């Protein structure tokens, strides 16, 4: 089958979170299964653009409301990522360093989607499926079906995957003219609660909807930032497919970011060597369990609870453990995590910002990874941690529920708790410290974790089955 993935992110070209990891890996694994998967994304000004070779494959133009824009499609020449990669350049809108966070994101991603559909309309042949990801590409199924200029695309099946339903791309009806002339009777396919809602439109118009874990799909029916009724109504075409991890990139035996590689057999020494580097760099004690947090410092990740949970743990359990936090996000949380460094020196440290290399070091060198998330559609961090023999401490929600089994259960290998509350996090940390003190059990769990299989093979095949059901 030929699959065209459309996404705002794709690792290593541009990544802001898990979406980038997924779109950087899934197409590669679909190709390994004998299909032809391609990716098209915006041409941001990132390092990958300047360090690879490109050819121009198409030039075109379209309008965004009353203004005309020209776009160029370029293709990476050497199949660096294991799939055909196309970037769309639109001067003045997409030629930026960051993926998101600009005042004109609505204009940026609407014009990107128009350019994708306009380009697709010129293809000599058609792909078997167009697979869009999250709200930034959620208007594409609508455009393929209801824009007069693109009517001949309406029989191409489309699938939308929801990586995060908290963000929906809302835009006012005053921007309806941005979308190329469309059948006005179909306004209901764009609308949700009196606004144009690209995510809701994607759910309504795509032929199938997938979420990145089964538990997340169940949760969306009662907690999806206003879309609960829509998920209930459309449940017949929804399914949950757990993300995999790219085991070629995330491998403690070969990871190019690590100074000390290790296998299951050498995990004890390998992890300790990586921990030593971290402890030196961040002034922490090597003989205490190292508990880390990596991620966006936002409410969804319950990052606001970290300062008190860390403080309470050190106070009530005793100074038996160390903490290291890597992340960026809400300024108030960043500030709190920075200001705690002084009073908790020697037990706690943090680095505010995005640092891919440090994150790999932390997955490898830590003893535990804490994820108290309020919402976690799938979560990749816990799977990376487990691949590196690091025990996850997670709240039972979304993909965390589907991937981590508590040590209290038969063959369990993680520490789980039910509520995103300081008391429950502190209690989970207490259980983790107790586990750490049982060296034999800790080693057995490390081995068990590293032997778990979170690779993409199974999930990539499940997506193919979804596409095949549409033929
Ligand atoms: P989300 O997409 O909701 O942020 P995921 O768990 O799906 O969460 O994916 C997060 C990805 O982003 C992981 O690869 C994680 O290592 C990475 N990441 C998040 N924050 C940082 C950071 N500050 N520095 C380096 N990597 C980070």
């Amino acid at each position: 089958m030929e699959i065209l993935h459309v996404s705002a992110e794709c690792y290593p070209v541009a990544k802001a979170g898990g979406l980038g990891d997924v779109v950087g890996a899934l197409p590669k694994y679909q190709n390994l299964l004998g299909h032809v998967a391609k990716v098209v994304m915006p041409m941001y000004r990132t390092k990958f653009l300047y360090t690879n070779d490109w050819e121009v494959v198409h030039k075109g133009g379209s309008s965004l409301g009353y203004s005309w824009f020209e776009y160029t499609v370029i293709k990476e020449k050497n199949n660096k990522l294991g799939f055909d990669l196309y970037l769309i350049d639109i001067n003045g809108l997409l030629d930026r360093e960051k993926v998101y966070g600009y005042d004109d994101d609505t204009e940026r991603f609407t014009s990107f989607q128009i350019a994708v559909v306009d380009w697709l309309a010129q293809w000599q042949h058609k792909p078997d499926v167009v697979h869009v990801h999250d709200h930034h590409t959620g208007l594409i199924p609508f455009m393929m079906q209801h824009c007069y200029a693109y009517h001949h695309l309406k029989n191409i099946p489309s699938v939308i995957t929801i990586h995060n339903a908290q963000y929906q791309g809302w835009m006012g009806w005053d921007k309806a003219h941005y979308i190329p002339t469309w059948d006005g009777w179909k306004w209901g396919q764009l609308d949700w609660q009196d606004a144009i809602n690209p995510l809701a439109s994607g759910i309504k118009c795509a032929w199938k909807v997938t979420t990145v874990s089964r538990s997340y799909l169940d949760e969306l029916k009662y907690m999806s930032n206003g879309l609960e009724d829509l998920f209930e109504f459309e449940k017949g075409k929804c399914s949950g497919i757990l993300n995999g991890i790219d085991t070629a990139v995330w491998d403690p035996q070969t990871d190019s970011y690590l100074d000390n590689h290790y296998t299951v057999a050498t995990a004890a020494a390998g992890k300790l060597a990586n921990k030593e580097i971290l402890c030196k760099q961040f002034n922490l004690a090597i003989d205490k369990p190292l508990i880390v947090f990596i991620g966006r410092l936002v409410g969804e990740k319950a990052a606001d609870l970290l300062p008190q949970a860390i403080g309470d743990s050190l106070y009530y359990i005793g100074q038996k453990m160390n903490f290291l936090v890597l992340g960026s996000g809400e300024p108030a949380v960043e500030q709190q995590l920075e200001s705690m460094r002084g009073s908790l020196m020697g037990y706690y440290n943090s680095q505010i910002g995005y640092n891919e290399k440090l994150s790999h070091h932390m997955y490898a060198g830590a003893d535990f990874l804490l994820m108290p998330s309020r919402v976690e559609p799938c979560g990749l961090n816990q799977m990376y941690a487990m691949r590196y023999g690091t025990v996850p401490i997670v709240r039972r929600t979304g993909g965390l529920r589907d991937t981590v089994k508590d040590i209290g259960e038969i063959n369990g290998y993680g520490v789980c708790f039910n509520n995103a509350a300081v008391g429950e996090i502190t209690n989970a940390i207490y259980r983790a410290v107790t586990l750490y003190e049982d060296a034999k059990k800790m080693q057995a769990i490390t081995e068990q974790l590293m032997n778990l299989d979170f690779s993409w093979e199974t999930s990539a095949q499940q997506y193919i089955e979804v596409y095949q059901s549409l033929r």
Side-chain angles (χ1 to χ4, degrees), residues 260-289:
N260 301 287
H261 294 123
Y262 58 93
T263 60
V264 179
T266 60
K271 284 186 71 63
L272 193 67
N274 286 301
K275 182 176 176 181
E276 205 166 358
I277 297 175
L278 281 178
C279 288
K280 252 193 198 141
Q281 187 182 347
F282 291 98
N283 185 29
L284 300 168
I286 183 91
D287 56 335
K288 291 183 178 162

Side-chain angles (χ1 to χ4, degrees), residues 55-321:
E55 62 185 322
V56 173
V57 294
H58 182 73
K59 275 177 179 283
S62 187
S63 51
L64 178 75
Y66 308 121
S67 52
W68 180 257
F69 67 87
E70 311 228 314
Y71 69 89
T72 306
V73 187
I74 62 172
K75 180 177 179 229
E76 194 270 319
K77 275 184 175 174
N78 303 313
N79 201 258
K80 261 270 181 76
L81 305 184
F83 50 82
D84 286 347
L85 171 70
Y86 298 89
L87 306 185
I88 294 195
D89 189 25
I90 302 175
N91 269 329
L93 286 170
L94 300 179
D95 48 348
R96 318 258 175 97
E97 274 177 34
K98 283 194 303 173
V99 179
Y100 316 114
Y102 300 100
D103 290 343
D104 58 353
D105 277 356
T106 297
E107 286 73 18
R108 295 172 71 230
F109 289 109
T110 309
S111 60
F112 166 67
Q113 295 176 83
I114 295 169
V116 170
V117 178
D118 195 72
W119 171 52
L120 186 57
Q122 332 273 332
W123 284 26
Q124 299 292 325
H125 71 288
K126 298 290 170 252
D128 295 300
V129 61
V130 173
H131 188 157
V132 305
H133 298 264
D134 272 351
H135 75 83
H136 328 96
T137 55
L139 292 173
I140 288 178
F142 177 89
M143 290 188 204
M144 288 167 61
Q145 284 163 40
H146 304 305
C147 290
Y148 293 116
Y150 308 127
H151 238 205
H152 57 293
L153 301 178
K154 76 170 187 204
N155 292 325
I156 303 177
S158 56
V159 172
I160 185 165
T161 293
I162 298 169
H163 300 255
N164 194 331
Q166 293 300 302
Y167 308 98
Q168 299 170 10
W170 309 268
M171 55 203 255
W173 271 103
D174 56 322
K175 295 190 173 169
H177 64 297
Y178 281 178
I179 302 167
T181 314
W182 48 279
D183 178 355
W185 289 101
K186 298 293 189 286
W187 68 272
Q189 302 286 306
L190 290 171
D191 184 75
W192 192 255
Q193 293 170 344
D194 300 328
I196 295 179
N197 184 318
L199 189 69
S201 175
I203 296 165
K204 291 177 186 185
C205 297
W207 296 26
K208 285 272 181 189
V209 178
T210 69
T211 61
V212 290
S213 70
R214 275 200 198 138
S215 289
Y216 186 51
L217 178 57
D218 293 339
E219 288 169 10
L220 287 172
K221 289 175 202 147
Y222 61 87
M223 193 179 60
S224 52
N225 208 4
L227 299 185
E228 295 78 8
D229 291 348
L230 181 60
F231 278 107
E232 183 57 37
F233 186 73
E234 297 284 10
K235 64 183 174 196
K237 65 175 183 185
C238 298
S239 55
I241 301 178
L242 192 70
N243 285 335
I245 59 172
D246 192 334
T247 47
V249 175
W250 296 91
D251 183 352
Q253 226 175 321
T254 55
D255 189 329
S256 56
Y257 288 116
L258 293 188
D259 297 330
N260 301 287
H261 294 123
Y262 58 93
T263 60
V264 179
T266 60
K271 284 186 71 63
L272 193 67
N274 286 301
K275 182 176 176 181
E276 205 166 358
I277 297 175
L278 281 178
C279 288
K280 252 193 198 141
Q281 187 182 347
F282 291 98
N283 185 29
L284 300 168
I286 183 91
D287 56 335
K288 291 183 178 162
L290 177 59
I291 303 171
V292 302
F293 174 95
I294 302 167
R296 293 180 292 121
L297 301 175
V298 296
E300 266 178 76
K301 303 286 180 194
D304 51 302
L305 302 182
L306 288 176
Q308 199 188 334
I310 291 171
D312 281 8
S313 296
L314 287 166
Y315 184 79
Y316 291 113
I317 304 170
Q319 291 157 351
K320 292 182 180 174
M321 76 301 277

Side-chain angles (χ1 to χ4, degrees), residues 15 17-18 21 295-296 301 326-327 353-355 363 379-381 384:
K15 165 180 163 182
D21 285 339
R296 293 180 292 121
K301 303 286 180 194
L326 166 65
Y354 189 92
N355 189 329
Y363 289 120
L380 295 169
N381 300 19
Y384 296 146

